[in-house]
Amino acid sequence: MSKGKTPVTDPLIAAIVFQGLIFPLAIGLAFLLGVRPWTAMDADLDAVLLAVLATLPPLLGLWALSRARVPWMEELDALVRPMIDALFRGRGPGPVVLISLLAGFGEELLFRGVLQGWLTGLAGPWVGVMVAALVFGLLHCLSWTYFVFAVIFGLYLGVIYELTGNLLIVCLIHALYDWAAIHYLLRHAPAATPDEH
């Protein structure tokens, strides 16, 4: 634990608890809505390889946008980096892995597995994909730009889930993306603007 922080005030502990609570919420909603998304988790080598390959496009997008010198990206970077630093700086690799796994599996169980699965049964697959992505974006709405990125990422994951029918793939993509993105932000300073020396 970081110096001067108690379990109650440590943002990492709060993040772990918050992410951990998504699992019982998702399971409770699944039973309430009559969906069982965990039955759509097929673990095999093909699923893992597909997840790794499908993680590359959003990571390349993050890298390209982080190098871009546009005001909205700089504003997003200024919003996200302090949060990443507060949660993970100087703590070693364990917390990054834990949060990535909790977010990847918990959020995908809730948004793609439960919400998208239920809405698909009610109104069809593309309504399920779109509405689940919008709700995913709204619940990640730290700023307008963050909302847009979260919706795009949610659409990407939703389409992959709809096409593959394998919830494990999107869980792994989400977890791998979070893990790699957090490491990238911790290790790379933002791109210098032209007037910086």
Side-chain angles (χ1 to χ4, degrees), residues 59-96:
L59 284 176
L60 289 171
L62 171 68
W63 176 82
L65 287 169
S66 71
R67 302 289 95 195
R69 293 176 179 154
V70 290
W72 53 266
M73 192 61 200
E74 290 173 358
E75 289 168 14
L76 182 62
D77 193 78
L79 175 69
V80 172
R81 280 184 190 269
M83 293 188 300
I84 296 295
D85 282 344
L87 287 170
F88 303 112
R89 181 74 63 194
R91 295 183 190 257
V96 177

PDB file of all heavy atoms in Angstrom, residues 59-96:
ATOM      1  N   LEU A  59      -5.237  -1.234 -29.609  1.00  0.00           N
ATOM      2  CA  LEU A  59      -3.943  -0.792 -29.066  1.00  0.00           C
ATOM      3  C   LEU A  59      -3.199   0.089 -30.068  1.00  0.00           C
ATOM      4  O   LEU A  59      -2.599   1.106 -29.679  1.00  0.00           O
ATOM      5  CB  LEU A  59      -3.077  -1.988 -28.684  1.00  0.00           C
ATOM      6  CG  LEU A  59      -3.463  -2.697 -27.390  1.00  0.00           C
ATOM      7  CD1 LEU A  59      -2.588  -3.914 -27.179  1.00  0.00           C
ATOM      8  CD2 LEU A  59      -3.367  -1.742 -26.191  1.00  0.00           C
ATOM      9  N   LEU A  60      -3.238  -0.278 -31.340  1.00  0.00           N
ATOM     10  CA  LEU A  60      -2.622   0.568 -32.363  1.00  0.00           C
ATOM     11  C   LEU A  60      -3.324   1.918 -32.444  1.00  0.00           C
ATOM     12  O   LEU A  60      -2.683   2.958 -32.633  1.00  0.00           O
ATOM     13  CB  LEU A  60      -2.646  -0.140 -33.717  1.00  0.00           C
ATOM     14  CG  LEU A  60      -1.701  -1.338 -33.849  1.00  0.00           C
ATOM     15  CD1 LEU A  60      -1.964  -2.089 -35.159  1.00  0.00           C
ATOM     16  CD2 LEU A  60      -0.243  -0.901 -33.758  1.00  0.00           C
ATOM     17  N   GLY A  61      -4.641   1.900 -32.276  1.00  0.00           N
ATOM     18  CA  GLY A  61      -5.384   3.156 -32.244  1.00  0.00           C
ATOM     19  C   GLY A  61      -4.973   4.033 -31.071  1.00  0.00           C
ATOM     20  O   GLY A  61      -4.779   5.245 -31.227  1.00  0.00           O
ATOM     21  N   LEU A  62      -4.822   3.424 -29.893  1.00  0.00           N
ATOM     22  CA  LEU A  62      -4.371   4.173 -28.714  1.00  0.00           C
ATOM     23  C   LEU A  62      -2.994   4.780 -28.966  1.00  0.00           C
ATOM     24  O   LEU A  62      -2.754   5.947 -28.669  1.00  0.00           O
ATOM     25  CB  LEU A  62      -4.330   3.260 -27.488  1.00  0.00           C
ATOM     26  CG  LEU A  62      -3.680   3.860 -26.235  1.00  0.00           C
ATOM     27  CD1 LEU A  62      -4.534   4.996 -25.683  1.00  0.00           C
ATOM     28  CD2 LEU A  62      -3.447   2.796 -25.182  1.00  0.00           C
ATOM     29  N   TRP A  63      -2.090   3.980 -29.499  1.00  0.00           N
ATOM     30  CA  TRP A  63      -0.731   4.463 -29.755  1.00  0.00           C
ATOM     31  C   TRP A  63      -0.757   5.633 -30.738  1.00  0.00           C
ATOM     32  O   TRP A  63      -0.120   6.671 -30.502  1.00  0.00           O
ATOM     33  CB  TRP A  63       0.138   3.326 -30.301  1.00  0.00           C
ATOM     34  CG  TRP A  63       1.506   3.791 -30.676  1.00  0.00           C
ATOM     35  CD1 TRP A  63       2.570   3.976 -29.842  1.00  0.00           C
ATOM     36  CD2 TRP A  63       1.954   4.160 -31.985  1.00  0.00           C
ATOM     37  NE1 TRP A  63       3.653   4.437 -30.543  1.00  0.00           N
ATOM     38  CE2 TRP A  63       3.299   4.564 -31.867  1.00  0.00           C
ATOM     39  CE3 TRP A  63       1.342   4.184 -33.232  1.00  0.00           C
ATOM     40  CZ2 TRP A  63       4.046   4.986 -32.965  1.00  0.00           C
ATOM     41  CZ3 TRP A  63       2.085   4.610 -34.326  1.00  0.00           C
ATOM     42  CH2 TRP A  63       3.418   4.999 -34.180  1.00  0.00           C
ATOM     43  N   ALA A  64      -1.498   5.480 -31.835  1.00  0.00           N
ATOM     44  CA  ALA A  64      -1.542   6.543 -32.841  1.00  0.00           C
ATOM     45  C   ALA A  64      -2.155   7.824 -32.273  1.00  0.00           C
ATOM     46  O   ALA A  64      -1.641   8.926 -32.490  1.00  0.00           O
ATOM     47  CB  ALA A  64      -2.336   6.074 -34.062  1.00  0.00           C
ATOM     48  N   LEU A  65      -3.236   7.677 -31.528  1.00  0.00           N
ATOM     49  CA  LEU A  65      -3.897   8.858 -30.972  1.00  0.00           C
ATOM     50  C   LEU A  65      -3.055   9.521 -29.888  1.00  0.00           C
ATOM     51  O   LEU A  65      -3.070  10.744 -29.738  1.00  0.00           O
ATOM     52  CB  LEU A  65      -5.271   8.482 -30.416  1.00  0.00           C
ATOM     53  CG  LEU A  65      -6.326   8.184 -31.480  1.00  0.00           C
ATOM     54  CD1 LEU A  65      -7.559   7.567 -30.835  1.00  0.00           C
ATOM     55  CD2 LEU A  65      -6.688   9.441 -32.250  1.00  0.00           C
ATOM     56  N   SER A  66      -2.307   8.714 -29.128  1.00  0.00           N
ATOM     57  CA  SER A  66      -1.461   9.305 -28.083  1.00  0.00           C
ATOM     58  C   SER A  66      -0.299  10.086 -28.679  1.00  0.00           C
ATOM     59  O   SER A  66       0.260  10.963 -28.034  1.00  0.00           O
ATOM     60  CB  SER A  66      -0.939   8.223 -27.136  1.00  0.00           C
ATOM     61  OG  SER A  66       0.023   7.415 -27.785  1.00  0.00           O
ATOM     62  N   ARG A  67       0.069   9.771 -29.925  1.00  0.00           N
ATOM     63  CA  ARG A  67       1.123  10.511 -30.623  1.00  0.00           C
ATOM     64  C   ARG A  67       0.579  11.748 -31.334  1.00  0.00           C
ATOM     65  O   ARG A  67       1.339  12.615 -31.739  1.00  0.00           O
ATOM     66  CB  ARG A  67       1.824   9.627 -31.659  1.00  0.00           C
ATOM     67  CG  ARG A  67       2.460   8.361 -31.106  1.00  0.00           C
ATOM     68  CD  ARG A  67       3.702   8.665 -30.283  1.00  0.00           C
ATOM     69  NE  ARG A  67       3.381   8.761 -28.878  1.00  0.00           N
ATOM     70  CZ  ARG A  67       4.161   9.278 -27.935  1.00  0.00           C
ATOM     71  NH1 ARG A  67       5.317   9.773 -28.239  1.00  0.00           N
ATOM     72  NH2 ARG A  67       3.794   9.309 -26.686  1.00  0.00           N
ATOM     73  N   ALA A  68      -0.740  11.793 -31.502  1.00  0.00           N
ATOM     74  CA  ALA A  68      -1.351  12.921 -32.222  1.00  0.00           C
ATOM     75  C   ALA A  68      -1.338  14.162 -31.343  1.00  0.00           C
ATOM     76  O   ALA A  68      -1.536  14.091 -30.130  1.00  0.00           O
ATOM     77  CB  ALA A  68      -2.781  12.569 -32.610  1.00  0.00           C
ATOM     78  N   ARG A  69      -1.117  15.294 -31.974  1.00  0.00           N
ATOM     79  CA  ARG A  69      -1.071  16.553 -31.219  1.00  0.00           C
ATOM     80  C   ARG A  69      -2.360  17.325 -31.458  1.00  0.00           C
ATOM     81  O   ARG A  69      -2.362  18.375 -32.097  1.00  0.00           O
ATOM     82  CB  ARG A  69       0.139  17.365 -31.646  1.00  0.00           C
ATOM     83  CG  ARG A  69       1.439  16.692 -31.248  1.00  0.00           C
ATOM     84  CD  ARG A  69       2.623  17.468 -31.756  1.00  0.00           C
ATOM     85  NE  ARG A  69       3.852  16.804 -31.337  1.00  0.00           N
ATOM     86  CZ  ARG A  69       4.991  16.897 -31.975  1.00  0.00           C
ATOM     87  NH1 ARG A  69       5.085  17.624 -33.065  1.00  0.00           N
ATOM     88  NH2 ARG A  69       6.055  16.269 -31.532  1.00  0.00           N
ATOM     89  N   VAL A  70      -3.446  16.773 -30.963  1.00  0.00           N
ATOM     90  CA  VAL A  70      -4.745  17.424 -31.099  1.00  0.00           C
ATOM     91  C   VAL A  70      -5.268  17.757 -29.712  1.00  0.00           C
ATOM     92  O   VAL A  70      -5.070  16.990 -28.762  1.00  0.00           O
ATOM     93  CB  VAL A  70      -5.751  16.532 -31.870  1.00  0.00           C
ATOM     94  CG1 VAL A  70      -5.354  16.423 -33.334  1.00  0.00           C
ATOM     95  CG2 VAL A  70      -5.853  15.153 -31.250  1.00  0.00           C
ATOM     96  N   PRO A  71      -5.922  18.914 -29.552  1.00  0.00           N
ATOM     97  CA  PRO A  71      -6.324  19.361 -28.208  1.00  0.00           C
ATOM     98  C   PRO A  71      -7.192  18.362 -27.450  1.00  0.00           C
ATOM     99  O   PRO A  71      -6.993  18.137 -26.265  1.00  0.00           O
ATOM    100  CB  PRO A  71      -7.085  20.668 -28.480  1.00  0.00           C
ATOM    101  CG  PRO A  71      -6.559  21.149 -29.785  1.00  0.00           C
ATOM    102  CD  PRO A  71      -6.211  19.919 -30.576  1.00  0.00           C
ATOM    103  N   TRP A  72      -8.177  17.747 -28.141  1.00  0.00           N
ATOM    104  CA  TRP A  72      -9.079  16.836 -27.427  1.00  0.00           C
ATOM    105  C   TRP A  72      -8.349  15.610 -26.912  1.00  0.00           C
ATOM    106  O   TRP A  72      -8.678  15.072 -25.857  1.00  0.00           O
ATOM    107  CB  TRP A  72     -10.279  16.449 -28.281  1.00  0.00           C
ATOM    108  CG  TRP A  72      -9.965  15.893 -29.637  1.00  0.00           C
ATOM    109  CD1 TRP A  72      -9.902  16.580 -30.806  1.00  0.00           C
ATOM    110  CD2 TRP A  72      -9.663  14.537 -29.957  1.00  0.00           C
ATOM    111  NE1 TRP A  72      -9.587  15.738 -31.839  1.00  0.00           N
ATOM    112  CE2 TRP A  72      -9.429  14.477 -31.355  1.00  0.00           C
ATOM    113  CE3 TRP A  72      -9.563  13.359 -29.208  1.00  0.00           C
ATOM    114  CZ2 TRP A  72      -9.104  13.291 -32.009  1.00  0.00           C
ATOM    115  CZ3 TRP A  72      -9.243  12.173 -29.859  1.00  0.00           C
ATOM    116  CH2 TRP A  72      -9.014  12.147 -31.237  1.00  0.00           C
ATOM    117  N   MET A  73      -7.301  15.154 -27.650  1.00  0.00           N
ATOM    118  CA  MET A  73      -6.529  14.011 -27.175  1.00  0.00           C
ATOM    119  C   MET A  73      -5.640  14.406 -26.009  1.00  0.00           C
ATOM    120  O   MET A  73      -5.456  13.641 -25.061  1.00  0.00           O
ATOM    121  CB  MET A  73      -5.697  13.431 -28.327  1.00  0.00           C
ATOM    122  CG  MET A  73      -5.086  12.084 -27.996  1.00  0.00           C
ATOM    123  SD  MET A  73      -6.341  10.839 -27.622  1.00  0.00           S
ATOM    124  CE  MET A  73      -5.356   9.650 -26.716  1.00  0.00           C
ATOM    125  N   GLU A  74      -5.101  15.618 -26.053  1.00  0.00           N
ATOM    126  CA  GLU A  74      -4.285  16.102 -24.933  1.00  0.00           C
ATOM    127  C   GLU A  74      -5.132  16.257 -23.673  1.00  0.00           C
ATOM    128  O   GLU A  74      -4.682  15.957 -22.566  1.00  0.00           O
ATOM    129  CB  GLU A  74      -3.618  17.420 -25.313  1.00  0.00           C
ATOM    130  CG  GLU A  74      -2.529  17.245 -26.366  1.00  0.00           C
ATOM    131  CD  GLU A  74      -1.982  18.565 -26.883  1.00  0.00           C
ATOM    132  OE1 GLU A  74      -2.475  19.630 -26.451  1.00  0.00           O
ATOM    133  OE2 GLU A  74      -1.068  18.519 -27.722  1.00  0.00           O
ATOM    134  N   GLU A  75      -6.370  16.725 -23.846  1.00  0.00           N
ATOM    135  CA  GLU A  75      -7.285  16.851 -22.694  1.00  0.00           C
ATOM    136  C   GLU A  75      -7.599  15.473 -22.099  1.00  0.00           C
ATOM    137  O   GLU A  75      -7.631  15.307 -20.876  1.00  0.00           O
ATOM    138  CB  GLU A  75      -8.581  17.538 -23.123  1.00  0.00           C
ATOM    139  CG  GLU A  75      -8.417  19.012 -23.431  1.00  0.00           C
ATOM    140  CD  GLU A  75      -9.635  19.605 -24.122  1.00  0.00           C
ATOM    141  OE1 GLU A  75     -10.700  18.952 -24.132  1.00  0.00           O
ATOM    142  OE2 GLU A  75      -9.509  20.722 -24.671  1.00  0.00           O
ATOM    143  N   LEU A  76      -7.837  14.496 -22.966  1.00  0.00           N
ATOM    144  CA  LEU A  76      -8.113  13.140 -22.488  1.00  0.00           C
ATOM    145  C   LEU A  76      -6.899  12.566 -21.765  1.00  0.00           C
ATOM    146  O   LEU A  76      -7.025  11.963 -20.704  1.00  0.00           O
ATOM    147  CB  LEU A  76      -8.512  12.247 -23.658  1.00  0.00           C
ATOM    148  CG  LEU A  76      -8.884  10.808 -23.309  1.00  0.00           C
ATOM    149  CD1 LEU A  76     -10.097  10.767 -22.388  1.00  0.00           C
ATOM    150  CD2 LEU A  76      -9.157   9.999 -24.571  1.00  0.00           C
ATOM    151  N   ASP A  77      -5.728  12.784 -22.335  1.00  0.00           N
ATOM    152  CA  ASP A  77      -4.495  12.308 -21.726  1.00  0.00           C
ATOM    153  C   ASP A  77      -4.297  12.939 -20.344  1.00  0.00           C
ATOM    154  O   ASP A  77      -3.937  12.258 -19.383  1.00  0.00           O
ATOM    155  CB  ASP A  77      -3.310  12.645 -22.638  1.00  0.00           C
ATOM    156  CG  ASP A  77      -2.052  11.915 -22.230  1.00  0.00           C
ATOM    157  OD1 ASP A  77      -1.946  10.718 -22.541  1.00  0.00           O
ATOM    158  OD2 ASP A  77      -1.182  12.544 -21.594  1.00  0.00           O
ATOM    159  N   ALA A  78      -4.570  14.246 -20.248  1.00  0.00           N
ATOM    160  CA  ALA A  78      -4.430  14.954 -18.970  1.00  0.00           C
ATOM    161  C   ALA A  78      -5.429  14.460 -17.932  1.00  0.00           C
ATOM    162  O   ALA A  78      -5.175  14.527 -16.730  1.00  0.00           O
ATOM    163  CB  ALA A  78      -4.602  16.457 -19.189  1.00  0.00           C
ATOM    164  N   LEU A  79      -6.552  13.927 -18.386  1.00  0.00           N
ATOM    165  CA  LEU A  79      -7.558  13.373 -17.473  1.00  0.00           C
ATOM    166  C   LEU A  79      -7.177  11.972 -17.000  1.00  0.00           C
ATOM    167  O   LEU A  79      -7.301  11.649 -15.816  1.00  0.00           O
ATOM    168  CB  LEU A  79      -8.912  13.329 -18.190  1.00  0.00           C
ATOM    169  CG  LEU A  79     -10.081  12.674 -17.456  1.00  0.00           C
ATOM    170  CD1 LEU A  79     -10.505  13.517 -16.272  1.00  0.00           C
ATOM    171  CD2 LEU A  79     -11.247  12.458 -18.412  1.00  0.00           C
ATOM    172  N   VAL A  80      -6.703  11.142 -17.924  1.00  0.00           N
ATOM    173  CA  VAL A  80      -6.489   9.720 -17.627  1.00  0.00           C
ATOM    174  C   VAL A  80      -5.166   9.457 -16.909  1.00  0.00           C
ATOM    175  O   VAL A  80      -5.119   8.665 -15.967  1.00  0.00           O
ATOM    176  CB  VAL A  80      -6.582   8.890 -18.932  1.00  0.00           C
ATOM    177  CG1 VAL A  80      -6.168   7.448 -18.693  1.00  0.00           C
ATOM    178  CG2 VAL A  80      -7.991   8.954 -19.493  1.00  0.00           C
ATOM    179  N   ARG A  81      -4.093  10.119 -17.325  1.00  0.00           N
ATOM    180  CA  ARG A  81      -2.780   9.813 -16.750  1.00  0.00           C
ATOM    181  C   ARG A  81      -2.707   9.999 -15.231  1.00  0.00           C
ATOM    182  O   ARG A  81      -2.145   9.146 -14.539  1.00  0.00           O
ATOM    183  CB  ARG A  81      -1.681  10.633 -17.433  1.00  0.00           C
ATOM    184  CG  ARG A  81      -1.270  10.047 -18.768  1.00  0.00           C
ATOM    185  CD  ARG A  81      -0.125  10.822 -19.383  1.00  0.00           C
ATOM    186  NE  ARG A  81       0.100  10.407 -20.746  1.00  0.00           N
ATOM    187  CZ  ARG A  81       0.934   9.450 -21.114  1.00  0.00           C
ATOM    188  NH1 ARG A  81       1.636   8.801 -20.195  1.00  0.00           N
ATOM    189  NH2 ARG A  81       1.084   9.126 -22.379  1.00  0.00           N
ATOM    190  N   PRO A  82      -3.252  11.076 -14.665  1.00  0.00           N
ATOM    191  CA  PRO A  82      -3.200  11.196 -13.199  1.00  0.00           C
ATOM    192  C   PRO A  82      -3.938  10.057 -12.482  1.00  0.00           C
ATOM    193  O   PRO A  82      -3.503   9.608 -11.415  1.00  0.00           O
ATOM    194  CB  PRO A  82      -3.869  12.545 -12.920  1.00  0.00           C
ATOM    195  CG  PRO A  82      -3.717  13.315 -14.189  1.00  0.00           C
ATOM    196  CD  PRO A  82      -3.788  12.303 -15.287  1.00  0.00           C
ATOM    197  N   MET A  83      -5.033   9.579 -13.065  1.00  0.00           N
ATOM    198  CA  MET A  83      -5.759   8.457 -12.453  1.00  0.00           C
ATOM    199  C   MET A  83      -4.931   7.180 -12.509  1.00  0.00           C
ATOM    200  O   MET A  83      -4.862   6.434 -11.529  1.00  0.00           O
ATOM    201  CB  MET A  83      -7.108   8.244 -13.155  1.00  0.00           C
ATOM    202  CG  MET A  83      -8.087   9.376 -12.933  1.00  0.00           C
ATOM    203  SD  MET A  83      -9.743   9.004 -13.571  1.00  0.00           S
ATOM    204  CE  MET A  83      -9.431   8.728 -15.297  1.00  0.00           C
ATOM    205  N   ILE A  84      -4.296   6.940 -13.653  1.00  0.00           N
ATOM    206  CA  ILE A  84      -3.448   5.760 -13.795  1.00  0.00           C
ATOM    207  C   ILE A  84      -2.286   5.830 -12.810  1.00  0.00           C
ATOM    208  O   ILE A  84      -1.948   4.839 -12.138  1.00  0.00           O
ATOM    209  CB  ILE A  84      -2.927   5.643 -15.248  1.00  0.00           C
ATOM    210  CG1 ILE A  84      -4.081   5.424 -16.228  1.00  0.00           C
ATOM    211  CG2 ILE A  84      -1.880   4.537 -15.374  1.00  0.00           C
ATOM    212  CD1 ILE A  84      -4.824   4.130 -16.067  1.00  0.00           C
ATOM    213  N   ASP A  85      -1.669   7.016 -12.699  1.00  0.00           N
ATOM    214  CA  ASP A  85      -0.553   7.188 -11.753  1.00  0.00           C
ATOM    215  C   ASP A  85      -1.003   6.946 -10.315  1.00  0.00           C
ATOM    216  O   ASP A  85      -0.321   6.268  -9.549  1.00  0.00           O
ATOM    217  CB  ASP A  85       0.044   8.595 -11.878  1.00  0.00           C
ATOM    218  CG  ASP A  85       0.946   8.747 -13.086  1.00  0.00           C
ATOM    219  OD1 ASP A  85       1.362   7.710 -13.650  1.00  0.00           O
ATOM    220  OD2 ASP A  85       1.245   9.887 -13.471  1.00  0.00           O
ATOM    221  N   ALA A  86      -2.160   7.500  -9.942  1.00  0.00           N
ATOM    222  CA  ALA A  86      -2.651   7.349  -8.567  1.00  0.00           C
ATOM    223  C   ALA A  86      -2.938   5.887  -8.231  1.00  0.00           C
ATOM    224  O   ALA A  86      -2.719   5.441  -7.107  1.00  0.00           O
ATOM    225  CB  ALA A  86      -3.911   8.191  -8.364  1.00  0.00           C
ATOM    226  N   LEU A  87      -3.420   5.140  -9.216  1.00  0.00           N
ATOM    227  CA  LEU A  87      -3.762   3.739  -8.974  1.00  0.00           C
ATOM    228  C   LEU A  87      -2.542   2.826  -8.986  1.00  0.00           C
ATOM    229  O   LEU A  87      -2.445   1.917  -8.158  1.00  0.00           O
ATOM    230  CB  LEU A  87      -4.760   3.250 -10.031  1.00  0.00           C
ATOM    231  CG  LEU A  87      -6.192   3.754  -9.907  1.00  0.00           C
ATOM    232  CD1 LEU A  87      -6.986   3.399 -11.143  1.00  0.00           C
ATOM    233  CD2 LEU A  87      -6.857   3.183  -8.665  1.00  0.00           C
ATOM    234  N   PHE A  88      -1.607   3.054  -9.901  1.00  0.00           N
ATOM    235  CA  PHE A  88      -0.602   2.021 -10.183  1.00  0.00           C
ATOM    236  C   PHE A  88       0.860   2.435 -10.024  1.00  0.00           C
ATOM    237  O   PHE A  88       1.709   1.554  -9.924  1.00  0.00           O
ATOM    238  CB  PHE A  88      -0.790   1.502 -11.615  1.00  0.00           C
ATOM    239  CG  PHE A  88      -2.165   0.957 -11.872  1.00  0.00           C
ATOM    240  CD1 PHE A  88      -3.041   1.604 -12.724  1.00  0.00           C
ATOM    241  CD2 PHE A  88      -2.594  -0.213 -11.249  1.00  0.00           C
ATOM    242  CE1 PHE A  88      -4.305   1.103 -12.970  1.00  0.00           C
ATOM    243  CE2 PHE A  88      -3.859  -0.724 -11.479  1.00  0.00           C
ATOM    244  CZ  PHE A  88      -4.714  -0.064 -12.345  1.00  0.00           C
ATOM    245  N   ARG A  89       1.179   3.711 -10.027  1.00  0.00           N
ATOM    246  CA  ARG A  89       2.582   4.125 -10.010  1.00  0.00           C
ATOM    247  C   ARG A  89       3.299   3.594  -8.776  1.00  0.00           C
ATOM    248  O   ARG A  89       2.841   3.762  -7.656  1.00  0.00           O
ATOM    249  CB  ARG A  89       2.681   5.653 -10.062  1.00  0.00           C
ATOM    250  CG  ARG A  89       4.069   6.216 -10.075  1.00  0.00           C
ATOM    251  CD  ARG A  89       4.789   6.039 -11.386  1.00  0.00           C
ATOM    252  NE  ARG A  89       4.140   6.745 -12.490  1.00  0.00           N
ATOM    253  CZ  ARG A  89       4.436   6.516 -13.772  1.00  0.00           C
ATOM    254  NH1 ARG A  89       5.334   5.608 -14.102  1.00  0.00           N
ATOM    255  NH2 ARG A  89       3.810   7.178 -14.725  1.00  0.00           N
ATOM    256  N   GLY A  90       4.401   2.880  -8.988  1.00  0.00           N
ATOM    257  CA  GLY A  90       5.231   2.376  -7.900  1.00  0.00           C
ATOM    258  C   GLY A  90       4.671   1.170  -7.167  1.00  0.00           C
ATOM    259  O   GLY A  90       5.156   0.817  -6.102  1.00  0.00           O
ATOM    260  N   ARG A  91       3.696   0.489  -7.730  1.00  0.00           N
ATOM    261  CA  ARG A  91       3.064  -0.629  -7.022  1.00  0.00           C
ATOM    262  C   ARG A  91       3.446  -1.993  -7.579  1.00  0.00           C
ATOM    263  O   ARG A  91       2.991  -3.006  -7.075  1.00  0.00           O
ATOM    264  CB  ARG A  91       1.547  -0.483  -7.056  1.00  0.00           C
ATOM    265  CG  ARG A  91       1.018   0.736  -6.308  1.00  0.00           C
ATOM    266  CD  ARG A  91      -0.493   0.704  -6.356  1.00  0.00           C
ATOM    267  NE  ARG A  91      -1.115   1.904  -5.883  1.00  0.00           N
ATOM    268  CZ  ARG A  91      -1.680   2.037  -4.685  1.00  0.00           C
ATOM    269  NH1 ARG A  91      -1.642   1.045  -3.824  1.00  0.00           N
ATOM    270  NH2 ARG A  91      -2.270   3.160  -4.355  1.00  0.00           N
ATOM    271  N   GLY A  92       4.197  -2.054  -8.665  1.00  0.00           N
ATOM    272  CA  GLY A  92       4.546  -3.346  -9.237  1.00  0.00           C
ATOM    273  C   GLY A  92       3.479  -3.841 -10.202  1.00  0.00           C
ATOM    274  O   GLY A  92       2.443  -3.197 -10.393  1.00  0.00           O
ATOM    275  N   PRO A  93       3.701  -5.019 -10.792  1.00  0.00           N
ATOM    276  CA  PRO A  93       2.797  -5.501 -11.846  1.00  0.00           C
ATOM    277  C   PRO A  93       1.486  -6.108 -11.354  1.00  0.00           C
ATOM    278  O   PRO A  93       0.514  -6.166 -12.096  1.00  0.00           O
ATOM    279  CB  PRO A  93       3.635  -6.565 -12.560  1.00  0.00           C
ATOM    280  CG  PRO A  93       4.581  -7.064 -11.510  1.00  0.00           C
ATOM    281  CD  PRO A  93       4.884  -5.882 -10.629  1.00  0.00           C
ATOM    282  N   GLY A  94       1.442  -6.580 -10.124  1.00  0.00           N
ATOM    283  CA  GLY A  94       0.256  -7.291  -9.632  1.00  0.00           C
ATOM    284  C   GLY A  94      -1.042  -6.508  -9.721  1.00  0.00           C
ATOM    285  O   GLY A  94      -2.047  -7.029 -10.240  1.00  0.00           O
ATOM    286  N   PRO A  95      -1.096  -5.263  -9.237  1.00  0.00           N
ATOM    287  CA  PRO A  95      -2.351  -4.508  -9.301  1.00  0.00           C
ATOM    288  C   PRO A  95      -2.855  -4.264 -10.719  1.00  0.00           C
ATOM    289  O   PRO A  95      -4.058  -4.287 -10.963  1.00  0.00           O
ATOM    290  CB  PRO A  95      -1.999  -3.187  -8.605  1.00  0.00           C
ATOM    291  CG  PRO A  95      -0.898  -3.542  -7.663  1.00  0.00           C
ATOM    292  CD  PRO A  95      -0.093  -4.578  -8.390  1.00  0.00           C
ATOM    293  N   VAL A  96      -1.923  -4.045 -11.662  1.00  0.00           N
ATOM    294  CA  VAL A  96      -2.348  -3.827 -13.053  1.00  0.00           C
ATOM    295  C   VAL A  96      -3.015  -5.090 -13.601  1.00  0.00           C
ATOM    296  O   VAL A  96      -4.063  -5.029 -14.242  1.00  0.00           O
ATOM    297  CB  VAL A  96      -1.152  -3.417 -13.938  1.00  0.00           C
ATOM    298  CG1 VAL A  96      -1.595  -3.277 -15.400  1.00  0.00           C
ATOM    299  CG2 VAL A  96      -0.529  -2.119 -13.442  1.00  0.00           C
TER     300      VAL A  96
END
